[in-house]
PDB file of all heavy atoms in Angstrom:
ATOM      1  N   LYS A 187      54.379 109.915  84.594  1.00  0.00           N
ATOM      2  CA  LYS A 187      54.149 110.173  83.174  1.00  0.00           C
ATOM      3  C   LYS A 187      55.412 109.915  82.358  1.00  0.00           C
ATOM      4  O   LYS A 187      55.349 109.309  81.276  1.00  0.00           O
ATOM      5  CB  LYS A 187      53.682 111.624  82.996  1.00  0.00           C
ATOM      6  CG  LYS A 187      53.340 111.996  81.556  1.00  0.00           C
ATOM      7  CD  LYS A 187      52.866 113.439  81.484  1.00  0.00           C
ATOM      8  CE  LYS A 187      52.564 113.839  80.036  1.00  0.00           C
ATOM      9  NZ  LYS A 187      52.101 115.252  79.964  1.00  0.00           N
ATOM     10  N   VAL A 188      56.538 110.341  82.849  1.00  0.00           N
ATOM     11  CA  VAL A 188      57.802 110.092  82.157  1.00  0.00           C
ATOM     12  C   VAL A 188      58.117 108.595  82.146  1.00  0.00           C
ATOM     13  O   VAL A 188      58.597 108.051  81.139  1.00  0.00           O
ATOM     14  CB  VAL A 188      58.942 110.883  82.820  1.00  0.00           C
ATOM     15  CG1 VAL A 188      60.293 110.507  82.207  1.00  0.00           C
ATOM     16  CG2 VAL A 188      58.711 112.382  82.672  1.00  0.00           C
ATOM     17  N   ARG A 189      57.852 107.911  83.224  1.00  0.00           N
ATOM     18  CA  ARG A 189      58.126 106.471  83.299  1.00  0.00           C
ATOM     19  C   ARG A 189      57.305 105.702  82.266  1.00  0.00           C
ATOM     20  O   ARG A 189      57.807 104.800  81.593  1.00  0.00           O
ATOM     21  CB  ARG A 189      57.819 105.955  84.704  1.00  0.00           C
ATOM     22  CG  ARG A 189      58.267 104.518  84.945  1.00  0.00           C
ATOM     23  CD  ARG A 189      57.827 104.037  86.314  1.00  0.00           C
ATOM     24  NE  ARG A 189      56.383 103.857  86.364  1.00  0.00           N
ATOM     25  CZ  ARG A 189      55.754 102.750  85.956  1.00  0.00           C
ATOM     26  NH1 ARG A 189      56.452 101.733  85.469  1.00  0.00           N
ATOM     27  NH2 ARG A 189      54.444 102.652  86.037  1.00  0.00           N
ATOM     28  N   LEU A 190      56.035 106.053  82.114  1.00  0.00           N
ATOM     29  CA  LEU A 190      55.189 105.389  81.118  1.00  0.00           C
ATOM     30  C   LEU A 190      55.670 105.687  79.700  1.00  0.00           C
ATOM     31  O   LEU A 190      55.610 104.823  78.816  1.00  0.00           O
ATOM     32  CB  LEU A 190      53.736 105.836  81.297  1.00  0.00           C
ATOM     33  CG  LEU A 190      53.047 105.372  82.585  1.00  0.00           C
ATOM     34  CD1 LEU A 190      51.637 105.944  82.677  1.00  0.00           C
ATOM     35  CD2 LEU A 190      53.019 103.845  82.660  1.00  0.00           C
ATOM     36  N   ARG A 191      56.174 106.867  79.493  1.00  0.00           N
ATOM     37  CA  ARG A 191      56.693 107.218  78.167  1.00  0.00           C
ATOM     38  C   ARG A 191      57.943 106.390  77.849  1.00  0.00           C
ATOM     39  O   ARG A 191      58.112 105.928  76.711  1.00  0.00           O
ATOM     40  CB  ARG A 191      57.009 108.703  78.110  1.00  0.00           C
ATOM     41  CG  ARG A 191      57.421 109.187  76.725  1.00  0.00           C
ATOM     42  CD  ARG A 191      57.525 110.687  76.676  1.00  0.00           C
ATOM     43  NE  ARG A 191      58.022 111.139  75.387  1.00  0.00           N
ATOM     44  CZ  ARG A 191      58.230 112.410  75.065  1.00  0.00           C
ATOM     45  NH1 ARG A 191      57.952 113.372  75.956  1.00  0.00           N
ATOM     46  NH2 ARG A 191      58.685 112.732  73.868  1.00  0.00           N
ATOM     47  N   LEU A 192      58.781 106.189  78.822  1.00  0.00           N
ATOM     48  CA  LEU A 192      59.964 105.352  78.624  1.00  0.00           C
ATOM     49  C   LEU A 192      59.571 103.902  78.341  1.00  0.00           C
ATOM     50  O   LEU A 192      60.179 103.236  77.484  1.00  0.00           O
ATOM     51  CB  LEU A 192      60.868 105.425  79.855  1.00  0.00           C
ATOM     52  CG  LEU A 192      61.624 106.742  80.060  1.00  0.00           C
ATOM     53  CD1 LEU A 192      62.226 106.792  81.466  1.00  0.00           C
ATOM     54  CD2 LEU A 192      62.723 106.891  79.013  1.00  0.00           C
ATOM     55  N   LYS A 193      58.567 103.387  79.037  1.00  0.00           N
ATOM     56  CA  LYS A 193      58.089 102.030  78.781  1.00  0.00           C
ATOM     57  C   LYS A 193      57.524 101.908  77.375  1.00  0.00           C
ATOM     58  O   LYS A 193      57.741 100.901  76.692  1.00  0.00           O
ATOM     59  CB  LYS A 193      57.027 101.644  79.810  1.00  0.00           C
ATOM     60  CG  LYS A 193      57.564 101.378  81.209  1.00  0.00           C
ATOM     61  CD  LYS A 193      56.466 100.878  82.140  1.00  0.00           C
ATOM     62  CE  LYS A 193      55.916  99.552  81.695  1.00  0.00           C
ATOM     63  NZ  LYS A 193      54.928  99.005  82.657  1.00  0.00           N
ATOM     64  N   SER A 194      56.802 102.908  76.927  1.00  0.00           N
ATOM     65  CA  SER A 194      56.234 102.877  75.579  1.00  0.00           C
ATOM     66  C   SER A 194      57.330 102.835  74.514  1.00  0.00           C
ATOM     67  O   SER A 194      57.191 102.164  73.481  1.00  0.00           O
ATOM     68  CB  SER A 194      55.334 104.094  75.358  1.00  0.00           C
ATOM     69  OG  SER A 194      54.207 104.054  76.200  1.00  0.00           O
ATOM     70  N   MET A 195      58.430 103.526  74.768  1.00  0.00           N
ATOM     71  CA  MET A 195      59.539 103.500  73.819  1.00  0.00           C
ATOM     72  C   MET A 195      60.144 102.097  73.733  1.00  0.00           C
ATOM     73  O   MET A 195      60.456 101.599  72.643  1.00  0.00           O
ATOM     74  CB  MET A 195      60.599 104.517  74.228  1.00  0.00           C
ATOM     75  CG  MET A 195      60.159 105.959  74.054  1.00  0.00           C
ATOM     76  SD  MET A 195      61.438 107.124  74.583  1.00  0.00           S
ATOM     77  CE  MET A 195      62.738 106.689  73.444  1.00  0.00           C
ATOM     78  N   ASP A 196      60.307 101.429  74.861  1.00  0.00           N
ATOM     79  CA  ASP A 196      60.817 100.060  74.849  1.00  0.00           C
ATOM     80  C   ASP A 196      59.840  99.127  74.138  1.00  0.00           C
ATOM     81  O   ASP A 196      60.256  98.212  73.408  1.00  0.00           O
ATOM     82  CB  ASP A 196      61.054  99.581  76.280  1.00  0.00           C
ATOM     83  CG  ASP A 196      62.211 100.310  76.949  1.00  0.00           C
ATOM     84  OD1 ASP A 196      63.147 100.724  76.233  1.00  0.00           O
ATOM     85  OD2 ASP A 196      62.178 100.470  78.184  1.00  0.00           O
ATOM     86  N   PHE A 197      58.553  99.358  74.332  1.00  0.00           N
ATOM     87  CA  PHE A 197      57.548  98.550  73.659  1.00  0.00           C
ATOM     88  C   PHE A 197      57.659  98.714  72.141  1.00  0.00           C
ATOM     89  O   PHE A 197      57.627  97.723  71.387  1.00  0.00           O
ATOM     90  CB  PHE A 197      56.152  98.965  74.135  1.00  0.00           C
ATOM     91  CG  PHE A 197      55.034  98.301  73.379  1.00  0.00           C
ATOM     92  CD1 PHE A 197      54.573  97.057  73.763  1.00  0.00           C
ATOM     93  CD2 PHE A 197      54.445  98.930  72.276  1.00  0.00           C
ATOM     94  CE1 PHE A 197      53.533  96.447  73.056  1.00  0.00           C
ATOM     95  CE2 PHE A 197      53.427  98.323  71.579  1.00  0.00           C
ATOM     96  CZ  PHE A 197      52.965  97.071  71.967  1.00  0.00           C
ATOM     97  N   ILE A 198      57.792  99.942  71.689  1.00  0.00           N
ATOM     98  CA  ILE A 198      57.869 100.211  70.245  1.00  0.00           C
ATOM     99  C   ILE A 198      59.101  99.550  69.636  1.00  0.00           C
ATOM    100  O   ILE A 198      59.028  98.953  68.554  1.00  0.00           O
ATOM    101  CB  ILE A 198      57.882 101.727  69.990  1.00  0.00           C
ATOM    102  CG1 ILE A 198      56.530 102.328  70.371  1.00  0.00           C
ATOM    103  CG2 ILE A 198      58.209 102.035  68.541  1.00  0.00           C
ATOM    104  CD1 ILE A 198      56.517 103.851  70.364  1.00  0.00           C
ATOM    105  N   VAL A 199      60.239  99.636  70.314  1.00  0.00           N
ATOM    106  CA  VAL A 199      61.471  99.035  69.788  1.00  0.00           C
ATOM    107  C   VAL A 199      61.330  97.527  69.673  1.00  0.00           C
ATOM    108  O   VAL A 199      61.681  96.933  68.639  1.00  0.00           O
ATOM    109  CB  VAL A 199      62.661  99.404  70.702  1.00  0.00           C
ATOM    110  CG1 VAL A 199      63.904  98.615  70.303  1.00  0.00           C
ATOM    111  CG2 VAL A 199      62.949 100.898  70.610  1.00  0.00           C
ATOM    112  N   LEU A 200      60.821  96.871  70.701  1.00  0.00           N
ATOM    113  CA  LEU A 200      60.667  95.419  70.664  1.00  0.00           C
ATOM    114  C   LEU A 200      59.628  94.990  69.639  1.00  0.00           C
ATOM    115  O   LEU A 200      59.801  93.973  68.932  1.00  0.00           O
ATOM    116  CB  LEU A 200      60.291  94.901  72.054  1.00  0.00           C
ATOM    117  CG  LEU A 200      61.391  94.998  73.108  1.00  0.00           C
ATOM    118  CD1 LEU A 200      60.837  94.705  74.497  1.00  0.00           C
ATOM    119  CD2 LEU A 200      62.536  94.042  72.784  1.00  0.00           C
ATOM    120  N   PHE A 201      58.545  95.738  69.520  1.00  0.00           N
ATOM    121  CA  PHE A 201      57.522  95.405  68.533  1.00  0.00           C
ATOM    122  C   PHE A 201      58.085  95.554  67.117  1.00  0.00           C
ATOM    123  O   PHE A 201      57.797  94.740  66.226  1.00  0.00           O
ATOM    124  CB  PHE A 201      56.297  96.316  68.708  1.00  0.00           C
ATOM    125  CG  PHE A 201      55.114  95.889  67.901  1.00  0.00           C
ATOM    126  CD1 PHE A 201      54.233  94.925  68.380  1.00  0.00           C
ATOM    127  CD2 PHE A 201      54.877  96.443  66.646  1.00  0.00           C
ATOM    128  CE1 PHE A 201      53.132  94.531  67.638  1.00  0.00           C
ATOM    129  CE2 PHE A 201      53.781  96.058  65.898  1.00  0.00           C
ATOM    130  CZ  PHE A 201      52.905  95.100  66.394  1.00  0.00           C
ATOM    131  N   HIS A 202      58.903  96.565  66.913  1.00  0.00           N
ATOM    132  CA  HIS A 202      59.522  96.756  65.602  1.00  0.00           C
ATOM    133  C   HIS A 202      60.473  95.598  65.275  1.00  0.00           C
ATOM    134  O   HIS A 202      60.514  95.109  64.134  1.00  0.00           O
ATOM    135  CB  HIS A 202      60.279  98.082  65.592  1.00  0.00           C
ATOM    136  CG  HIS A 202      60.950  98.377  64.295  1.00  0.00           C
ATOM    137  ND1 HIS A 202      60.266  98.547  63.104  1.00  0.00           N
ATOM    138  CD2 HIS A 202      62.278  98.535  63.988  1.00  0.00           C
ATOM    139  CE1 HIS A 202      61.111  98.798  62.124  1.00  0.00           C
ATOM    140  NE2 HIS A 202      62.346  98.794  62.644  1.00  0.00           N
ATOM    141  N   LYS A 203      61.236  95.134  66.258  1.00  0.00           N
ATOM    142  CA  LYS A 203      62.120  93.992  66.034  1.00  0.00           C
ATOM    143  C   LYS A 203      61.314  92.737  65.689  1.00  0.00           C
ATOM    144  O   LYS A 203      61.715  91.938  64.831  1.00  0.00           O
ATOM    145  CB  LYS A 203      62.984  93.742  67.269  1.00  0.00           C
ATOM    146  CG  LYS A 203      64.054  94.800  67.502  1.00  0.00           C
ATOM    147  CD  LYS A 203      64.889  94.464  68.727  1.00  0.00           C
ATOM    148  CE  LYS A 203      66.011  95.478  68.921  1.00  0.00           C
ATOM    149  NZ  LYS A 203      66.850  95.166  70.105  1.00  0.00           N
ATOM    150  N   ALA A 204      60.185  92.555  66.355  1.00  0.00           N
ATOM    151  CA  ALA A 204      59.335  91.398  66.059  1.00  0.00           C
ATOM    152  C   ALA A 204      58.789  91.478  64.631  1.00  0.00           C
ATOM    153  O   ALA A 204      58.713  90.462  63.923  1.00  0.00           O
ATOM    154  CB  ALA A 204      58.196  91.319  67.070  1.00  0.00           C
ATOM    155  N   ASP A 205      58.426  92.673  64.196  1.00  0.00           N
ATOM    156  CA  ASP A 205      57.897  92.852  62.847  1.00  0.00           C
ATOM    157  C   ASP A 205      58.963  92.522  61.793  1.00  0.00           C
ATOM    158  O   ASP A 205      58.676  91.889  60.768  1.00  0.00           O
ATOM    159  CB  ASP A 205      57.414  94.284  62.679  1.00  0.00           C
ATOM    160  CG  ASP A 205      56.790  94.523  61.321  1.00  0.00           C
ATOM    161  OD1 ASP A 205      55.804  93.821  60.989  1.00  0.00           O
ATOM    162  OD2 ASP A 205      57.294  95.399  60.580  1.00  0.00           O
ATOM    163  N   ILE A 206      60.214  92.936  62.032  1.00  0.00           N
ATOM    164  CA  ILE A 206      61.293  92.641  61.090  1.00  0.00           C
ATOM    165  C   ILE A 206      61.567  91.136  61.037  1.00  0.00           C
ATOM    166  O   ILE A 206      61.727  90.546  59.950  1.00  0.00           O
ATOM    167  CB  ILE A 206      62.564  93.410  61.487  1.00  0.00           C
ATOM    168  CG1 ILE A 206      62.342  94.916  61.309  1.00  0.00           C
ATOM    169  CG2 ILE A 206      63.759  92.956  60.659  1.00  0.00           C
ATOM    170  CD1 ILE A 206      63.484  95.774  61.797  1.00  0.00           C
ATOM    171  N   ALA A 207      61.610  90.491  62.202  1.00  0.00           N
ATOM    172  CA  ALA A 207      61.845  89.045  62.234  1.00  0.00           C
ATOM    173  C   ALA A 207      60.716  88.289  61.543  1.00  0.00           C
ATOM    174  O   ALA A 207      60.953  87.312  60.821  1.00  0.00           O
ATOM    175  CB  ALA A 207      62.005  88.583  63.686  1.00  0.00           C
TER     176      ALA A 207
END
Side-chain angles (χ1 to χ4, degrees):
K187 183 179 178 180
V188 173
R189 189 185 70 84
L190 292 177
R191 186 172 175 181
L192 288 167
K193 288 185 64 175
S194 295
M195 290 179 62
D196 291 330
F197 173 86
I198 292 171
V199 171
L200 291 169
F201 190 85
H202 180 62
K203 289 181 177 181
D205 183 58
I206 293 174

